[in-house]
Amino acid sequence: MSTVPRFWRHIPQRYNLVGTHCSKCDEYYYPPRTICPNCRRNAKMEDHKFKGLGTVVTYTTIYNATDDFKRQTPYNLAIIELLEGPRLTGQVICSPSEIEIGMKVKPVFRILGKEGDRGIIYYGTKFVPVEGSI
Amino acid sequence: MRSVSIIGAGCTRFGERWDDSLRDLVVETGIMALEDANVCGEEIDGLYVGNMSGGRFVEQEHIGALISDCAGLSRLHVPSTRVEAACASGGLALRQAVLAVASGYSDVVIAAGVEKMTDVTGGVAADALAAAADREWECFFGATFPALYAMIARLHMHRYGTTIEELAAVAVKNHHNGCMNSISQYQMEITVDKVLRSPLVADPLRVLDCSPITDGAAAVVLAPTEMAHKYSDAPIKILATAQASDTLALHDRRDITTLDASVHAARKAFGQAGLEPKEIDLAEVHDAFTIGEIAAIEDLGFVEKGEGGRAVEEGLTWIGGEIPINTSGGLKACGHPVGATGIKQAYEMVLQLRGEAGKRQVEGAEVGLTHNVGGCGGTALVHIMSR
Ligand SMILES: [Zn+2]
């Protein structure tokens, strides 16, 4: 079981999709990075809030989860490419037969999981399908 | 750098070893390897042991000192080091041992690997394995280890037309090989149909696409090639040892269907050995999931990118084919005690190159390659060896 700081430490990033942008090479990072892999020591990093609109690059539906996520099965997990470029891993709320590569998605704020029976409930971003273009 | 050879090897039976502890497994394999190498304790200059998660699986850390102690070497105060790179811990232990001998710092060095996984429930084991992925940005959102490989498989199918039948064919082949290996966890034939009827774990991967939870240990003994004949009639020469890393999270990769760490490690290894992929007679590759073997044979250069699925179905990777893959049964059938896997691969290669692999012997095997992956590609190790 974890302590509370493990979860609140990343609240801005996970609740509001705050990542980073390197103004030296103009590359966006989510999850946030402290060091730009392109520029390393010459990087100029600043916070950037992502819109959260993106496209499903690949996905799976999980039927057999770890104990913390058992109650949510089956659920869809995808790698999503944000409009600004970076990719992230997140759940997509829709039926397993509906999700497909190339699907457009937008972010929603949801309960993500719960540690054990009496553990910490934690929140973050999930995604839902969007009709038409984004 | 000195040339290094394997002068002895041992491996326990893989499986659910309810009666044996981590210590029992270490002792069992250590005795086998030392007897095979005809080496006594006073000659051992060092130990490296691959172990992913003693802390989670048996609540024991400090595995380096533990194995030296269990092996009866405590009074000799032999330096003993645990190395960790998730499922590539064994391959990394082998590399550290090779470097120790190659550098001239040590002469006789043992590379071992061990994992005791069945002392915890399935859920705890799954969570311990998920720690090989990015805990904060993958697992936090519900990712499991099979799920990450499932996402590789999904995109591979979408882009290259790879089919679920081709994925299943990898499991069928490796079970067939496992039937001919007395240490193998599974010694039963399966069919494509049976794989496709097994329960979904993370779509498109099913139970029979995944390697099992396994207890086991393996060890090899290394010495400078110039001294090897003192110990062994058939030393196996290490032609290359290479390691590469990549992003921890799958979503940050250049290409999700390629394990760039495998590509880079292979490129370095072939350079060191002065060989090309077509000159390799057989390989043990990291098939923790069926898609893992398909990606591996592409990334190592045995087939073109996208052709991995076809290769299995066309028989290229079966014993008797152009490039037999996972003659031991692989991680899929022989079992995957994570820290031991990289060393077990070397053990299988030693048997094959000595011509001691029995019914699964690859005729005329002279040069073999082993490929061990940590996580879903954050680390890759490639070794090339010859008789
Ligand atoms: Zn930059």
Side-chain angles (χ1 to χ4, degrees), chain B residues 112-155:
Chain B
V114 62
E115 211 76 55
K116 172 72 196 174
M117 301 173 74
T118 63
D119 277 358
V120 291
T121 59
V124 175
D127 192 58
L129 292 171
D134 188 325
R135 184 61 81 178
E136 307 242 321
W137 301 104
E138 291 179 325
C139 306
F140 184 85
F141 297 97
T144 62
F145 210 59
L148 297 173
Y149 272 96
M151 291 197 288
I152 297 176
R154 175 68 65 197
L155 192 55

Side-chain angles (χ1 to χ4, degrees), chain B residues 46-77:
Chain B
L47 292 151
Y48 290 89
V49 57
N51 177 257
M52 175 180 170
S53 197
R56 295 293 301 279
F57 289 125
V58 293
E59 297 181 4
Q60 177 73 61
E61 307 286 12
H62 210 169
I63 304 291
L66 174 77
I67 69 148
S68 161
D69 191 2
C70 292
L73 299 173
S74 57
R75 287 184 199 156
L76 298 168
H77 308 289

Side-chain angles (χ1 to χ4, degrees), chain A residues 6-7 9-10 13-14 18 30-33 57-70 75 77-80 87-91 101 112-113 122-125, chain B residues 121-124 126-127 130 134-144 146-148 150-155 158 200-204 207 247 250-256:
Chain A
R6 181 168 173 198
F7 297 101
R9 195 181 298 140
H10 287 303
Q13 292 86 358
R14 287 186 182 137
V18 173
Y30 189 89
R33 284 181 181 272
V57 175
T58 183
Y59 67 92
T60 180
T61 304
I62 297 175
Y63 291 86
N64 198 328
T66 53
D67 290 345
D68 290 355
F69 285 89
K70 261 203 174 87
Y75 58 92
L77 189 81
I79 292 179
I80 292 156
R87 291 173 172 183
L88 56 80
T89 298
Q91 292 188 29
I101 290 173
L112 270 176
Y122 47 96
Y123 296 82
T125 304
Chain B
T121 59
V124 175
D127 192 58
D134 188 325
R135 184 61 81 178
E136 307 242 321
W137 301 104
E138 291 179 325
C139 306
F140 184 85
F141 297 97
T144 62
L148 297 173
M151 291 197 288
I152 297 176
R154 175 68 65 197
L155 192 55
H158 178 80
L200 279 165
V201 174
D203 195 14
V207 167
T247 63
L250 180 65
H251 57 233
D252 281 332
R253 300 281 163 77
R254 178 191 63 83
D255 171 23
I256 285 161

Side-chain angles (χ1 to χ4, degrees), chain A residues 57-119:
Chain A
V57 175
T58 183
Y59 67 92
T60 180
T61 304
I62 297 175
Y63 291 86
N64 198 328
T66 53
D67 290 345
D68 290 355
F69 285 89
K70 261 203 174 87
R71 267 165 294 198
Q72 300 183 35
T73 58
Y75 58 92
N76 302 319
L77 189 81
I79 292 179
I80 292 156
E81 185 168 303
L82 299 174
L83 280 181
E84 297 91 336
R87 291 173 172 183
L88 56 80
T89 298
Q91 292 188 29
V92 177
I93 307 168
C94 67
S95 110
S97 59
E98 203 186 332
I99 188 166
E100 58 183 11
I101 290 173
M103 178 187 253
K104 308 293 178 198
V105 293
K106 66 175 185 188
V108 287
F109 186 67
R110 289 284 188 280
I111 289 179
L112 270 176
K114 191 176 163 190
E115 266 211 343
D117 281 339
R118 279 182 299 181

